[in-house]
Amino acid sequence: MQILKSVKEMQEHALELRREGKRVAFVPTMGYLHAGHESLIEEAARRGDSVVVSIFVNPTQFGPSEDFRTYPRDLDHDLAVCERNGVDVAFVPAADEMYPSDYSTFVEEERLSAGMCGVSRPSMFRGVCTVLVQLFNIVFPDVAIFGQKDAQQVAVVRKMVRDLHFKVEVVASPTMREQDGLAMSSRNSYLNEFERGDAAQIYQALLKGKAVPDSGQLSADRVLAEIMHHLRQYRRLRVIYVHVVDKDTLEPLREVKPGKTLVATAVWCDEVRLIDNIEL
Ligand code: PAF
């Protein structure tokens, strides 16, 4: 595995791969890799000849009061995970090369970013889009793999790719879950054992919501009521939002459209912000 740290080295390597006719599959990450990331890497290996993983905690997607400083980091572990999973290139850029002190260009998707997580984290998707445009222009991927756990991010990135004519296929890979259903996330490492127990109830609540259309009722309000009723039983959980939306446009739905509906939630578990979603 090659470990590349400068933009120039990565660009030159990526251009060489393209000259050789190789299909580049890219997994952008913020590191602290877990089994969810490993499944993205496996998906990348299925879809490309060469797998590039970036490891970069992107400062612009964190709000001023958010956890950028404390976000978990362990580069040695991340590189070992990449090596073990057959990654060809780990790209680990320096923050001052991605964002030099005079950096002033940002990319904003205005429609799909506005609701859900965009309400409580207003600059997050601007930061995500900005860093991904940079990374796409450094790695030149044919295909980029994202976790479906971040369903809004996937929808926003697809829209940005379409609007800006990037020649990148965006693939969403299924959410990996712990045995009790908790969606895997680097932020789960913040949870103590009591919080960890309550956090698992987020997915259980989504399953209660899913049972509504599974039993033939399509009312979105009914789905929301089941989920809220379940979450309210756990005192560490405070709901930020639960929405029933069209899975591509993220427009709110009054009725579940089977196969085309996403129920997405963000929940505080004490001081840890967790997200999850399920398709109906
Ligand atoms: O999903 C993430 O880990 C980040 O938002 C991403 C896509 C790597 C951009 O920093």
Side-chain angles (χ1 to χ4, degrees):
M1 180 176 84
Q2 296 201 53
I3 301 168
L4 301 180
K5 295 194 169 169
S6 83
V7 167
K8 186 164 181 283
E9 276 177 321
M10 184 66 243
Q11 275 175 330
E12 281 172 2
H13 185 76
L15 288 171
E16 182 55 34
L17 290 171
R18 293 191 85 86
R19 273 194 292 275
E20 290 168 7
K22 296 227 170 95
R23 186 171 159 80
V24 176
F26 178 43
V27 182
T29 81
M30 297 210 297
Y32 216 66
L33 304 183
H34 49 67
H37 294 108
E38 291 185 81
S39 76
L40 303 184
I41 294 170
E42 280 164 24
E43 185 65 45
R46 281 193 286 276
R47 290 175 179 266
D49 306 310
S50 188
V51 174
V52 178
V53 173
S54 64
I55 300 168
F56 179 64
V57 184
N58 173 35
T60 59
Q61 69 191 77
F62 291 80
S65 62
E66 292 179 359
D67 56 345
F68 173 65
R69 276 174 197 288
T70 54
Y71 193 83
R73 292 161 169 90
D74 188 345
L75 186 57
D76 290 343
H77 160 84
D78 293 343
L79 294 175
V81 171
C82 288
E83 181 91 61
R84 185 171 81 224
N85 284 276
V87 168
D88 297 288
V89 180
F91 175 50
V92 190
D96 58 2
E97 201 180 6
M98 297 297 279
Y99 296 108
S101 56
D102 62 348
Y103 188 86
S104 56
T105 302
F106 293 87
V107 179
E108 204 158 346
E109 188 288 323
E110 294 186 342
R111 188 179 292 216
L112 282 68
S113 304
M116 305 205 310
C117 284
V119 174
S120 47
R121 305 189 68 194
S123 56
M124 181 178 74
F125 292 114
R126 178 183 193 249
V128 169
C129 288
T130 298
V131 80
L132 286 176
V133 166
Q134 291 200 47
L135 290 168
F136 288 171
N137 283 327
I138 297 169
V139 176
F140 307 120
D142 295 283
V143 54
I145 321 288
F146 297 85
Q148 178 61 23
K149 195 205 95 180
D150 302 308
Q152 187 175 12
Q153 171 170 276
V154 172
V156 168
V157 174
R158 281 194 204 287
K159 186 66 169 47
M160 177 191 80
V161 160
R162 205 181 87 198
D163 286 351
L164 299 184
H165 310 288
F166 277 98
K167 244 180 106 6
V168 179
E169 182 190 354
V170 175
V171 170
S173 187
T175 304
M176 294 293 285
R177 298 185 180 279
E178 304 289 352
Q179 282 205 330
D180 58 7
L182 177 65
M184 289 188 184
S185 161
S186 304
R187 288 191 171 96
N188 292 351
S189 64
Y190 296 147
L191 298 167
N192 66 34
E193 66 175 298
F194 306 106
E195 293 164 344
R196 176 68 190 67
D198 281 8
Q201 295 304 322
I202 299 169
Y203 184 56
Q204 300 310 317
L206 291 175
L207 290 177
K208 299 265 178 195
K210 185 173 179 320
V212 173
D214 286 353
S215 74
Q217 298 177 66
L218 297 179
S219 154
D221 282 346
R222 188 84 215 113
V223 172
L224 294 173
E226 287 294 326
I227 294 173
M228 290 301 293
H229 175 73
H230 190 83
L231 291 173
R232 283 200 183 108
Q233 296 171 56
Y234 299 90
R235 67 177 182 84
R236 292 185 183 82
L237 303 181
R238 294 176 335 270
V239 175
I240 302 166
Y241 68 79
V242 189
H243 289 313
V244 176
V245 295
D246 177 289
K247 76 180 169 101
D248 299 316
T249 65
L250 306 185
E251 296 290 338
L253 295 176
R254 296 173 77 90
E255 287 227 320
V256 171
K257 293 188 285 180
K260 295 193 164 147
T261 301
L262 182 78
V263 183
T265 186
V267 176
W268 285 109
C269 180
D270 286 342
E271 303 309 311
V272 185
R273 191 181 189 283
L274 299 170
I275 58 170
D276 201 353
N277 65 80
I278 197 167
E279 285 191 18
L280 305 182

